[in-house]
Amino acid sequence: MASLSLRDQALRLMRIIGTSSCRCPAHSQTFSAGSRLSSTAKDHIEPECAFEVANSSIRYGEGVTREVGMDFKNRGLTKVCVITDQKLVNLPPVQATIESLETNGVNYELYDKVRIEPTDASFKDAIDFAKRGQFDSFLAVGGGSVIDTAKAANLYLCHPENDFLDFVNEPIGKGMPVNKVLKPLIAIPTTAGTGSETTGVAIFDYEPLKTKTGIANRAIRPLLGIVDPLHTLHMSERLTANSGYDVLCHAIESYTAIPYQMRGPRPLNPNLRPAYQGSNPVSDVWSKHALGIVAKYLKRSIKDSEDLEARSNMHLASVYAGVGFGNAGVHLCHGMSYPISGLVKSYKAKQYEVEHPLVPHGLSVVVTAPAVFRFTAPACPDRHLEAAKILGADTTNVKLADAGLLLSDTLRDFMHSTGVDNGLTDLGYKPEDIPALVKGTLPQHRVTKLAPAGAPGEDELARLFEDSMTVY
């Protein structure tokens, strides 16, 4: 890593030692607190004292997809909007789903135009379809793109009077609360990565700004996630790898996020407590467990598409990490990934069979991970060291001051062994693109502020992107 400028060193020093710290039963190591109170906190200064665990119900098992028709029938639902993409519509996961609906006499209409890495335009197309159908329920069969699209369609079907940006995260949208009960949504994930079946988050590319943003509210999370590991056998090698990198970063980012007590003031109303609350004792358990599964099974799942044990465990790891980050949140890897995906020029991911340029989400997230965790480690070195250990690093006699370097090196070796492109350069970016990447990251403060040392400034972000131009 190139040496930091005096300005960068000063910024880092101010964030790490110029703040108060937390030592509490939930967090055994020091975190920098920072002076990051929102404008609301100026009028309401009672510190946060609680976190809330909210997740979808999960049903797991080989072949469990065949039960989904009964789920809708049991609830008396009679008009289901089935959402998927054009590749999956002809594969066994969707075929098994449709068979279950028809066997149980459940009426449905099929929407198969989901865009891989959805945009505001593709969301709106699905929303229009849902409004025309006036469905009483939704069923998503696919990866994160499909499930997130179903969440958006459900939300705006139930809020026909609202504009699209009303519920989109600030500062791009208005971030309005969701006060209505939405239609039942069941999700059948066919990838082992996003954990979208557990979360109240829907991510998309906002094309006017060429960056990703999303909608984050517990109200949009699925009622039930049906996790059928047989579906992972249809994933290509690169899809398996990129999905797995997303699980890896979900786990580490949520485990190293700022503690929940230090996120900001206690909200005036519990409904205003954000979905991403900061690390907490419950999320910590799931995040660490997910990371352990990644360490053991991700490489196997990439190498052999018929390794049902490995792919089944990665499917569970996706759920576990979803519980972790769905309540704790993610931070810099994800915040920086949004412009990496949104500003893509000509790069087309291998084995994705799409016509448009595409940097898959998991790839856009992991490509900055070595640089990010070198940067964040000084704020909570114990947790970075623990993450490196779980991934297989020898931490014997390693000093806390070297935690970031060790985790960075461990991630780099893991990435190289699983075929990750060599940094932003391989994705088509050049040093002159860094200012645009920084500009696209700055609005992502919903996640970047959860970094253990606080949201980095423009100079620090520029250095992180610079350090990610090449990885090996």
Side-chain angles (χ1 to χ4, degrees):
M1 178 179 177
S3 59
L4 294 175
S5 68
L6 291 176
R7 174 181 168 82
D8 288 335
Q9 292 180 49
L11 286 168
R12 294 288 292 134
L13 194 61
M14 289 171 64
R15 281 196 169 89
I16 295 170
I17 68 173
T19 60
S20 59
S21 62
C22 169
R23 289 187 177 274
C24 60
H27 302 95
S28 59
Q29 69 289 314
T30 301
F31 278 82
S32 60
S35 54
R36 296 183 294 279
L37 295 181
S38 65
S39 59
T40 305
K42 296 176 182 178
D43 302 315
H44 177 63
I45 59 173
E46 182 180 346
E48 180 60 279
C49 61
F51 65 93
E52 183 173 340
V53 179
N55 297 290
S56 306
S57 295
I58 295 294
R59 182 184 302 147
Y60 173 87
E62 294 180 22
V64 75
T65 300
R66 65 179 178 266
E67 297 180 357
V68 69
M70 287 180 276
D71 288 310
F72 286 97
K73 186 176 181 179
N74 291 342
R75 291 174 171 82
L77 301 167
T78 59
K79 193 174 185 183
V80 183
C81 180
V82 179
I83 295 183
T84 190
D85 64 52
Q86 292 187 330
K87 181 178 180 180
L88 276 167
V89 73
N90 296 315
L91 293 178
V94 173
Q95 293 171 351
T97 299
I98 296 302
E99 181 180 352
S100 180
L101 293 173
E102 292 180 346
T103 298
N104 288 278
V106 178
N107 294 321
Y108 67 90
E109 290 184 31
L110 182 67
Y111 178 86
D112 64 358
K113 297 180 181 179
V114 169
R115 187 183 192 273
I116 304 305
E117 302 297 332
T119 65
D120 53 317
S122 72
F123 266 14
K124 289 175 183 177
D125 188 71
I127 292 165
D128 289 342
F129 180 87
K131 287 181 176 179
R132 290 195 301 271
Q134 287 299 309
F135 301 97
D136 65 5
S137 52
F138 289 82
L139 174 56
V141 189
S145 296
V146 169
I147 299 173
D148 286 2
T149 299
K151 292 174 182 176
N154 190 7
L155 173 64
Y156 290 95
L157 168 63
C158 298
H159 293 83
E161 71 282 1
N162 284 92
D163 293 330
F164 180 74
L165 289 178
D166 283 352
F167 299 111
V168 173
N169 299 326
E170 294 179 310
I172 293 173
K174 297 180 181 179
M176 291 173 55
V178 179
N179 296 317
K180 293 182 181 179
V181 177
L182 305 189
K183 308 294 184 183
L185 162 62
I186 295 178
I188 303 179
T190 60
T191 62
T194 66
S196 187
E197 68 277 4
T198 72
T199 71
V201 179
I203 302 298
F204 64 94
D205 283 310
Y206 186 58
E207 293 181 300
L209 296 181
K210 295 187 180 300
T211 190
K212 281 187 182 288
T213 184
I215 302 164
N217 193 290
R218 291 190 183 94
I220 69 172
R221 72 180 185 273
L223 172 72
L224 171 67
I226 295 179
V227 182
D228 187 338
L230 294 179
H231 297 334
T232 64
L233 299 179
H234 304 285
M235 296 167 62
S236 68
E237 175 191 304
R238 283 298 92 194
L239 176 57
T240 301
N242 292 329
S243 299
Y245 304 143
D246 199 17
V247 179
L248 185 154
C249 289
H250 283 158
I252 302 179
E253 288 177 74
S254 58
Y255 185 57
T256 59
I258 186 174
Y260 73 93
Q261 305 98 321
M262 304 167 75
R263 184 195 68 252
R266 183 180 65 82
L268 295 172
N269 187 308
N271 285 341
L272 300 177
R273 186 166 281 117
Y276 286 179
Q277 303 164 90
S279 59
N280 59 76
V282 174
S283 288
D284 289 350
V285 171
W286 293 103
S287 299
K288 290 174 64 177
H289 189 52
L291 190 60
I293 296 175
V294 169
K296 185 175 182 179
Y297 289 108
L298 178 54
K299 293 180 182 179
R300 279 177 50 183
S301 71
I302 297 170
K303 183 178 180 180
D304 184 0
S305 63
E306 297 183 358
D307 189 338
L308 182 58
E309 179 186 9
R311 293 204 166 188
S312 296
N313 275 279
M314 283 303 301
H315 218 182
L316 279 175
S318 177
V319 173
Y320 298 155
V323 176
F325 92 87
N327 291 285
V330 288
H331 53 82
L332 295 186
C333 292
H334 274 74
M336 294 171 65
S337 79
Y338 298 152
I340 293 173
S341 294
L343 294 170
V344 60
K345 300 175 182 179
S346 59
Y347 181 88
K348 292 185 178 180
K350 304 177 186 68
Q351 301 178 346
Y352 274 69
E353 300 179 15
V354 293
E355 296 180 359
H356 56 275
L358 171 69
V359 179
H361 175 63
L363 176 57
S364 70
V365 168
V366 79
V367 75
T368 63
V372 162
F373 293 115
R374 280 199 309 269
F375 173 78
T376 57
C380 51
D382 283 8
R383 293 199 166 214
H384 287 70
L385 198 62
E386 178 69 11
K389 183 178 181 180
I390 294 172
L391 287 174
D394 182 2
T395 59
T396 306
N397 298 322
V398 175
K399 298 178 181 178
L400 288 180
D402 296 325
L405 182 61
L406 178 63
L407 179 54
S408 178
D409 288 344
T410 302
L411 286 169
R412 187 183 296 108
D413 291 343
F414 197 102
M415 293 162 64
H416 187 265
S417 70
T418 52
V420 178
D421 297 79
N422 188 16
L424 295 173
T425 300
D426 275 8
L427 304 185
Y429 289 103
K430 299 178 180 179
E432 51 264 37
D433 296 316
I434 289 177
L437 292 168
V438 170
K439 182 179 179 181
T441 304
L442 290 173
Q444 312 300 335
H445 56 69
R446 181 182 65 90
V447 292
T448 59
K449 69 181 180 182
L450 293 174
E458 293 185 34
D459 290 347
E460 292 171 305
L461 285 172
R463 181 58 58 89
L464 288 171
F465 281 116
E466 181 183 340
D467 289 345
S468 300
M469 294 302 295
T470 57
V471 178
Y472 315 118

